[in-house]
Amino acid sequence: QPIYLADYQPPAFLVEQVDLTFRLAPRTTRVISRIRFAPNPAAMPGQPLRLDGEDLRLISVSIDGVAQDVTPDATGLTLDAADLPDGPFTWQAEVEIAPESNTALDGLYMSNGMYCTQCEAEGFRKITFYPDRPDVMAPFRVRIESDLPVLLSNGNPAGAGKGWAEWNDPHPKPSYLFALVAGDLVATKDRFTTMDGREVALNIWVRKGDEGKTAYAMDALKRSMLWDEQVYSRAYDLDIFNIVAVDDFNMGAMENKGLNIFNSRYVLASSATATDSDFAAIERIIAHEYFHNWTGNRITCRDWFQLSLKEGLTVFRDQQFMGDMRSHAVKRIEDVLTLRARQFREDAGPLAHPVRPESYVEINNFYTATVYEKGAELIRMLRLLVGEDRYAAALDLYFARHDGQACTIEDWIAVFAEAAGRDLSQFKRWYEQAGTPQVTLVEDWADQTLTLTLRQHTSPTPGQPLKEPLLVPVAIGLVGPDGAELLPTQVLELDSPEQVFTFADLPARPVVSALRGFSAPVVLEHAQSSHERATLLGHDTDAFARFEAGRNLASDILHAMVLEGARPGPEYLEAMRLALTDDTLDPAFRALVLRLPGEDELAQSLHAAGHTPDPDAIHAARKRALHILADAMAGDLSAVIDAMATPGPYSPDARDAGRRALRLAAAALLAHADGGAKARTIFAQADNMTEQFGAWTALLASGDGAEEGAQFHRQWQDDRLVMDKWFAAQVMFANPAHAPEIAAELTRHPAFDWTNPNRFRSVIGVLGAHPAGFHRKDGAGYALVADWLIRLDGANPQAAARISTVFETWARYDETRQGLMRAELTRVLEHPALSRDMGEMVGRMLG
Ligand code: ARG
Ligand code: ZN
């Protein structure tokens, strides 16, 4: 029952106005809807009206006041054109729903006694009958009746009294942006004046007791609002902006118009309970959801195939924002690491799909790294190709032309083609073609001329056996043998399978710095000596290329250690020592250079190089490398740890966070050489969660830290977000020989509430992300995860389907492991009453 992009039809009826009344009760909530429909002039006349609706108990229906006898089917109801008035008409319906028994956290549900909603992508149909599709946009008025003290919905407040509140959202919106919250909540309040003089009331609503943890989110919100005015000329458009923190939430957060709902882990932070990475994630996600107000809400998607239209763009905007707030160099490196870890992995396996998919069974399965992160990369490439000024012109045109509309990728490409006066039809293939292109760079040096031959190739992906050449911007610079820049960055446009570029009259053979800034989401094959890599690591003017050179040095060595039992040579150790001790470099950058490629990344790169990765060998080699590095640099590591202390009160800003990141990276490395002495001192003296947690996990990673873990538990057992860390750390750093048993034991802990998505992920999701533990040869990791996926699927299909992606790499491994994984996936697939979500994911993984 897949849905195809090619089958899109405009809606037969548009909605002019929606009025909703909610009488809230845990098991018997009544929803009364009054919907003004009008035939869509752009659609073929005479079509039926189709309303979506699931798990609704229908009480009554009338059309223009006349009672109707309608019989819903399993997914909604259909009204024949012959039974409808000729022109516009008013539909009124009353339904009953049971938020308390909604464990899927989709639609209207309850979390700790509070009512809340999640309607993207198709949750609104579990609230009432409606054309639940993003190209139907309407103004909403909402009345909520409940004894709970705080009653919220979208838009501006339109009156309240004892036991009721009304809201009016004048901006037409699709149903997926509807939201309602009711609970015993407290607000942190602030104000923002927009550039066009609008006074906006800002509220962050949390449960009592959490109000001391909202200051950072509020600060991030105000900075986001100002940034969108200054950089994109986008101002906020209502008199109030509400954010609500919810403990049970499937995703990160949701951009409902004027009422953003967040997973509480992306709102609540204090220096004692949140790490620097938590603060950064809060800043990013607050900004992301706020930015959606323009890129998503005012301009939305015509259908769910266009999801990247709003998500890729909004991720790109949050990346720009974070770069401006912190460091562009560090942010770019972190984004590339995430892209490779999640999106390249997805693109290389059975779940590969284009940024704009062509079909789906369950759209929630397509909120992926490809749609989000690769989608953002496509926008970054567009900006590089047309230049910053034309990028700005294209965005101005996009906002001017499409405000209030539900749009497509074609609309998006068109504003760029017009603003840049350029044919972008080849570029558009990036949206349609799945898979990560492999770009090969071969150098030739003769007669003072450097010849670069660039080739591109994309391997087949499911449903796409043949691939066309893409337009790949390859940013290149040339560096002299002494490290001086010979040729500043140029963007070569590779648009054929093979192209040659020459650079003549060079004084000496340069070192080629290719794919600067990671100018395209490709795998670059470029053979370089370790000496050349060390030159780039030491001197490249492009921070990403510098980092990448160090990364390549490390993965070359780790590959050789895994495959041939080699040892890191003195050149590598010296290059790392130089990076560690170079005080002219940003500490956050040095922390990234110090981090070795992870085990899954190594499995991915070994597999790409034609080997069958052995998770145990990779784990052992990486551990050996850590010991060798730690022994070789012990003195320097210890000095850096002392030098990077951040005296004075804790600040989450980038400068101090970078110092702590380097300090903790050094401590984690040194723990392999000093028995954990330094890490224990940091743990004992820590006055913030970053150092407390960083030091504890440094000890765990070196096979230690049991006592600290017990102390951590005693101190934090009543703080659910910190307890998620306590669960996660023990699995993440478990000895692979015991990881499945440690995870299983934690699932029996009284605080393991598996119905809470954060808690479930912190044990089962983390085990799936522990390569040597999950892939333990006897299959115990696979079996445990499969058992829990089956269990969670019965309650919360969306969350379960998402975590099932831990199996997406099965085809990389040896036959025994493949067989074990396929057997577990088959066991899941054959489970009776499996959800559509899980059925699609497992079906695609098994091929
Ligand atoms: N639009 C939200 C965001 O990007 C994600 C919501 C996804 N929810 C879902 N059930 N698929 O922040
Ligand atoms: Zn988003």
Side-chain angles (χ1 to χ4, degrees), residues 108 278 456 597 606 678:
L108 178 64
D278 294 328
Q456 61 168 308
L606 281 163
K678 271 283 197 211

Side-chain angles (χ1 to χ4, degrees), residues 252-305:
M254 180 63 212
E255 69 265 22
N256 317 299
K257 183 81 188 189
L259 178 52
N260 288 2
I261 299 183
F262 275 63
N263 187 323
S264 55
R265 66 180 297 209
Y266 295 122
V267 173
L268 303 177
S270 70
S271 60
T273 60
T275 63
D276 291 330
S277 328
D278 294 328
F279 278 95
I282 289 168
E283 184 176 32
R284 179 177 70 77
I285 297 179
I286 291 272
H288 179 98
E289 306 310 332
Y290 176 73
F291 296 158
H292 266 315
N293 191 54
W294 275 92
T295 53
N297 300 4
R298 291 189 66 132
I299 304 181
T300 192
C301 302
R302 187 193 71 173
D303 54 69
W304 292 117
F305 298 102

Side-chain angles (χ1 to χ4, degrees), residues 10 26 60 88 119 222 262 268-269 284 308 312 321 368 383 393 439 444 575 610 648 657-658 734 746 845:
S60 65
C119 290
K222 288 187 287 182
F262 275 63
L268 303 177
R284 179 177 70 77
S308 194
F321 169 78
T368 59
R383 193 182 58 153
V439 172
D444 189 52
L746 286 169
M845 282 192 275

Side-chain angles (χ1 to χ4, degrees), residues 105-106 118-122 176 249-255 285 288-289 292 307 310-311 314-315 363-367 372 798 802:
L105 315 184
D106 184 35
Q118 170 59 37
C119 290
E120 187 177 3
E122 298 179 333
Y176 81 86
F249 201 77
N250 277 340
M251 315 279 284
M254 180 63 212
E255 69 265 22
I285 297 179
H288 179 98
E289 306 310 332
H292 266 315
L307 181 57
K310 75 178 176 78
E311 295 303 346
T314 304
V315 169
I363 185 56
N364 284 315
N365 289 335
F366 286 82
Y367 285 70
Y372 277 64
Q798 239 182 71
R802 175 154 283 259

